[in-house]
Amino acid sequence: MDVDAFVVANRPTWDRLDRLVKKRRQLTGAEVDELVDLYQRVSTHLSMVRSASSDAVLVGKLSGLVARARSVVTGAHAPLWSEFVRFWTVSFPVVAYRAWRWWLGSAIGFFVVAVLIAGWIAGNPEVQAAFGTPSEIDQLVNNDFASYYSEHPAGSFALQVWVNNAWVAAQCIGFSILLGIPIPYVLFQNAANFGVTAGLMFDAGKGDIFLGLITPHGLIELTAVFLAAGAGMRLGWSVVSPGNRPRGQVLAEQGRAVISVALGLVVVLLAAGVIEAFVTPSPLPTAARIAIGIAAEVVFLGYVFYFGRKASRAGETGDIDNAPDLVPTG
């Protein structure tokens, strides 16, 4: 698209809309109809400019005009319930969907490290001795690991689990302000802890107990952590490689995307905590408990890919309507 020609051809329309917005309190009926029509046309112009131009000044000018015109046309903000529905059917799933390669990469890296460490620990008494005495390891594999899930009341345990999981995810989200650089280390720490426990349990012949207790809640819990890590690292990469758009604009969009992920994961991690508190220690057969965990994971992934792909194909990014196009500066 020839941006200069586009501006010349459409500037009269933008100027007319600006004049109508400024005299919004004295509009006639015909002018109100004209304002609505121009608002729709200029909104289309803004979408075209955003997709075809890196001119931040032009994008910012049209964004402000569209935002002011929208306030006149609607007369009020969208109902709270509408914003709530949009968040769960568009904003959160489309951000998660568009970052799927990042959280898949996080998951692969996590499990590669965990498996390597577990294999190193299992069958290697010298290495195991670095993590505890034989009596301490025996206490862990034969008592502490299983009792951890049932020694506290389910309600308080669910809250404790939610706080712990939220802290790990919050670290990944928080480190996005450092361009995501510390996030691989956070994942490595958790993968190492996971691998050490797995190695000790499998070496003691308790692998079935380990998987039976970890799987029900661990699938969706770790997926949430991988999503948080992926969103944080994606933001960092957007600064390194912003493409053909201004770095400030890309950083602003990805920063708001990270906030959407953080809000959505509050509920996802709460679900993981409920499963860990009420399903993992339940007297249900191991197969039933694992089936519940797999079902929760399938539902979450299905939700993200159904709504996320649908929103992505519709051109949604999950960004706030009429949000600023640049990171604010002092």
Side-chain angles (χ1 to χ4, degrees):
M1 181 177 71
D2 187 330
V3 177
D4 292 334
F6 185 81
V7 171
V8 171
N10 292 287
R11 186 180 296 280
T13 300
W14 304 341
D15 291 341
R16 176 58 178 167
L17 178 59
D18 184 55
R19 288 194 295 272
L20 291 175
V21 169
K22 289 179 178 178
K23 60 174 293 190
R24 56 187 176 275
R25 298 184 186 280
Q26 293 85 33
L27 295 176
T28 65
E31 287 175 330
V32 170
D33 291 339
E34 183 185 6
L35 186 146
V36 172
D37 177 63
L38 292 177
Y39 162 67
Q40 294 172 337
R41 289 164 59 185
V42 177
S43 295
T44 301
H45 294 166
L46 174 60
S47 298
M48 295 170 64
V49 170
R50 274 178 163 166
S51 63
S53 173
S54 59
D55 189 336
V57 175
L58 177 59
V59 172
K61 178 180 178 180
L62 288 181
S63 295
L65 178 58
V66 168
R68 288 185 289 115
R70 179 175 182 269
S71 68
V72 176
V73 171
T74 60
H77 294 292
L80 182 60
W81 66 265
S82 177
E83 297 293 342
F84 179 83
V85 171
R86 174 177 169 78
F87 177 81
W88 289 109
T89 59
V90 176
S91 301
F92 175 60
V94 77
V95 170
Y97 176 78
R98 289 163 65 90
W100 72 267
R101 292 178 178 84
W102 287 92
W103 44 291
L104 177 60
S106 299
I108 292 173
F110 180 95
F111 284 113
V112 166
V113 171
V115 169
L116 289 176
I117 290 178
W120 181 50
I121 295 287
N124 195 332
E126 293 80 7
V127 175
Q128 293 177 19
F131 296 96
T133 64
S135 61
E136 290 173 336
I137 293 175
D138 181 74
Q139 177 70 15
L140 170 67
V141 300
N142 291 304
N143 183 65
D144 291 352
F145 183 80
S147 64
Y148 167 78
Y149 297 99
S150 56
E151 62 185 4
H152 302 292
S156 61
F157 185 56
L159 178 61
Q160 176 187 341
V161 168
W162 177 76
V163 171
N164 289 339
N165 295 338
W167 170 240
V168 176
Q171 285 180 289
C172 294
I173 295 293
F175 282 138
S176 64
I177 65 174
L178 299 178
L179 306 185
I181 295 173
I183 293 176
Y185 178 68
V186 174
L187 290 176
F188 176 82
Q189 283 184 308
N190 285 273
N193 291 335
F194 186 94
V196 168
T197 304
L200 294 175
M201 292 292 290
F202 273 87
D203 185 63
K206 304 285 186 177
D208 56 337
I209 295 176
F210 176 80
L211 294 177
L213 292 174
I214 283 290
T215 304
H217 63 275
L219 288 174
I220 191 169
E221 174 183 293
L222 288 175
T223 299
V225 172
F226 299 149
L227 175 53
M233 289 189 289
R234 186 172 184 239
L235 183 146
W237 182 250
S238 71
V239 177
V240 176
S241 179
N244 61 356
R245 294 190 296 161
R247 183 171 279 105
Q249 180 181 341
V250 176
L251 181 59
E253 292 177 0
Q254 292 303 318
R256 292 189 291 266
V258 167
I259 294 174
S260 292
V261 168
L263 294 175
L265 289 184
V266 169
V267 175
V268 178
L269 289 171
L270 179 61
V274 169
I275 293 174
E276 186 167 358
F278 293 94
V279 175
T280 298
S282 74
L284 290 172
T286 300
R289 289 186 280 111
I290 290 177
I292 292 173
I294 293 175
E297 177 76 353
V298 170
V299 168
F300 176 65
L301 293 179
Y303 154 75
V304 167
F305 279 86
Y306 173 77
F307 286 104
R309 182 167 56 182
K310 180 180 177 181
S312 181
R313 288 178 174 177
E316 295 281 359
T317 63
D319 203 1
I320 303 170
D321 287 341
N322 303 314
D325 289 286
L326 297 171
V327 174
T329 58

